Amino acid sequence: MQPIYLDNNATTRTAPEVLEEMLPFLGELYGNPSSMHSFGGQVGKYLDTARERAAQTLGCHPQEIIFTSCGSESDNTAIHSALASQPEKRHLVTTRVEHPAVLSVAKHLEENGFDVTYLGVDSKGRLDLDELRDSLRKDTALVSVMTANNETGTIFPIHEVAEIVKEKGILLHTDAVQAVGKLPLNMADLPVDFLALSGHKLHAPKGVGVLYVRKGTRFRPFLIGGHQERGRRAGTENIASIVGLGKALEMAGQNIAEENTRVKALRDRLQDGLLKAIDLSIVNGDEDSRLPNTLSIAFKHIEGEAILLLMDQYAICASSGSACTSGSLEPSHVLRAMGVPFTYAHGSVRFSLSRYTTDEEIDTVIDKLPPIVERLRAMSPFRDTDAEKPACTC
Ligand SMILES: *Cc1c(COP(=O)(O)O)cnc(C)c1O
């Protein structure tokens, strides 16, 4: 059975056009681009093309693109570089809702004597820019604020964040893994110093990413060894995946319009259909500033994991709002930071669509999910159907 794949914020299908461009590099074109002989050297021009495509999509210079192994490596490298290049500065500012690729690094730094400020969010997942302003210090080495949240889709006002942070001359990193290909981003008018993106979130394969580093920013490599990536990231280039990412980024640039029209319309139809059919349900996140493909929805009094298991019978793929990584059923750090009421947070499910999502798939979910919720609620020990809805609902 073909899955109804609505978990695109976790990973995406590799686009057929991307796969096609990659195949020669998994076969006959196996040379090392650093080799002196032309058999290897010929591969180098494909690396250049991928870099140019990435630069074109981000509106930056090719030399500002570093290919990495994933979004997590890009995030780690940005933070490492900012701290290593300014050893006198021991303070980091980030948010409570970052991806673990940033948050776990911040926790690790804290355990090693750095000072970290974690900015909070309100019930819709929004930042308080005054809190950001007040958090900046003379010894702040870096501010790391994501462009858009992977769990709720809430978009942060990254241009305003940049204005505040750069006015103080402080380095700024943004984890744009969920934003690239969904929102127009142009480095010419977004004054961040570092930006992370990941291939497998935008229809390239897993295991490849980009770290954008603005020209003139002092940089310290994370991986040390060979002189690849102009000495900024050692390791023989993953050429097949880099070529794939170049193609995916070229397509992503062209696909933003579709994401914000057709995909967004499907997401809105899914949201309206579920809210209408299922009482005591709320949307998590900022409906006024949200990724066009993401719906995080919470059903009171039931467990997100149970919903996922029952949806699996119909091959519907989504995610829950729990910290599955810890093996516990604690609501995720994002929903906790937003103060989503416990009885809702546990029953949160994230649907994330893509350009491959069809009308029929959305119809199936709107058809199958309400009886699943009803069935689970009938078994739930807490059945106060008269309970009030929180004020922020639909
Ligand atoms: C997926 C994701 C990452 C990690 O990217 P990988 O390539 O899987 O390491 C980082 N940040 C955000 C917001 C993500 O969604």
Side-chain angles (χ1 to χ4, degrees):
M1 182 157 38
Q2 278 290 321
I4 296 180
Y5 190 77
L6 300 174
D7 204 9
N8 287 279
N9 288 9
T11 197
T12 60
R13 169 190 177 165
T14 300
E17 299 90 334
V18 168
L19 180 61
E20 192 185 309
E21 291 209 10
M22 290 174 63
L23 287 174
F25 302 93
L26 299 169
E28 66 273 22
L29 283 179
Y30 59 83
N32 186 328
S34 300
S35 295
M36 289 307 289
H37 45 73
S38 51
F39 173 67
Q42 66 177 326
V43 171
K45 71 172 189 286
Y46 295 95
L47 188 56
D48 294 342
T49 302
R51 202 182 305 282
E52 281 156 19
R53 283 171 162 176
Q56 173 76 28
T57 295
L58 289 179
C60 67
H61 193 278
Q63 285 182 9
E64 295 174 308
I65 299 290
I66 302 176
F67 289 111
T68 66
S69 71
C70 57
S72 300
E73 184 193 325
S74 299
D75 283 332
N76 273 256
T77 303
I79 298 170
H80 168 81
S81 177
L83 296 174
S85 65
Q86 308 169 96
E88 69 290 357
K89 297 188 176 176
R90 307 279 294 174
H91 179 229
L92 176 73
V93 176
T94 187
T95 80
R96 287 176 63 194
V97 298
E98 297 296 307
H99 187 275
V102 169
L103 215 45
S104 300
V105 178
K107 296 262 157 64
H108 175 77
L109 288 166
E110 230 178 348
E111 286 160 17
N112 286 278
F114 287 85
D115 233 4
V116 181
T117 302
Y118 299 94
L119 303 173
V121 295
D122 69 9
S123 63
K124 291 188 172 185
R126 295 175 301 197
L127 277 183
D128 177 347
L129 294 180
D130 287 328
E131 192 189 351
L132 167 66
R133 223 172 259 117
D134 293 343
S135 73
L136 302 178
R137 312 193 318 213
K138 272 206 169 55
D139 66 337
T140 304
L142 179 74
V143 175
S144 182
V145 169
M146 69 200 319
T147 312
N149 189 270
N150 45 302
E151 289 190 27
T152 63
T154 297
I155 299 167
F156 281 153
I158 194 67
H159 291 86
E160 288 164 72
V161 168
E163 202 172 302
I164 293 167
V165 174
K166 295 319 294 174
E167 196 194 320
K168 298 276 186 207
I170 296 168
L171 290 178
L172 175 60
H173 168 57
T174 191
D175 175 339
V177 170
Q178 291 294 343
V180 175
K182 299 170 191 160
L183 305 176
L185 288 176
N186 191 321
M187 306 320 292
D189 66 22
L190 178 60
V192 301
D193 303 286
F194 304 98
L195 176 142
L197 67 85
S198 172
H200 74 104
K201 304 290 175 77
L202 50 95
H203 304 291
K206 293 152 191 66
V208 66
V210 159
L211 176 63
Y212 159 89
V213 182
R214 186 172 296 278
K215 200 163 179 247
T217 306
R218 275 197 287 165
F219 185 78
R220 295 286 182 282
F222 190 54
L223 273 189
I224 300 169
H227 55 263
Q228 292 88 357
E229 299 297 294
R230 300 164 59 87
R232 295 175 300 178
R233 199 272 183 184
T236 299
E237 299 86 347
N238 179 358
I239 185 73
S241 294
I242 290 171
V243 165
L245 178 51
K247 180 64 180 171
L249 279 167
E250 184 187 70
M251 293 173 70
Q254 295 158 356
N255 256 282
I256 287 177
E258 179 173 4
E259 283 280 343
N260 288 278
T261 51
R262 195 187 68 85
V263 176
K264 181 174 184 295
L266 287 178
R267 189 277 313 270
D268 290 344
R269 194 159 73 74
L270 177 63
Q271 173 173 319
D272 295 344
L274 295 179
L275 289 176
K276 210 161 102 202
I278 304 171
D279 67 353
L280 300 174
S281 53
I282 61 170
V283 173
N284 299 316
D286 183 2
E287 286 182 64
D288 298 325
S289 178
R290 189 167 49 144
L291 292 174
N293 77 319
T294 306
L295 169 63
S296 173
I297 186 163
F299 306 107
K300 196 174 187 184
H301 290 329
I302 52 179
E303 294 286 345
E305 285 67 26
I307 301 172
L308 294 186
L309 281 176
L310 293 183
M311 285 200 305
D312 200 52
Q313 297 175 331
Y314 304 106
I316 300 170
C317 309
S319 281
S320 76
S322 294
C324 45
T325 39
S326 70
S328 76
L329 290 186
E330 272 286 289
S332 78
H333 68 285
V334 176
L335 300 180
R336 273 184 288 147
M338 291 163 61
V340 175
F342 220 67
T343 48
Y344 278 96
H346 274 286
S348 288
V349 176
R350 178 191 68 192
F351 295 97
S352 45
L353 288 60
S354 82
R355 60 176 178 255
Y356 299 116
T357 305
T358 65
D359 261 308
E360 294 70 37
E361 290 175 325
I362 296 303
D363 289 339
T364 303
V365 179
I366 293 174
D367 185 41
K368 301 294 184 199
L369 187 50
I372 288 176
V373 172
E374 200 172 317
R375 196 172 135 200
L376 291 171
R377 280 190 178 153
M379 299 189 296
S380 165
F382 333 87
R383 276 192 295 165
D384 63 340
T385 40
D386 55 350
E388 77 298 346
K389 280 190 180 191
C392 62
T393 66
C394 23

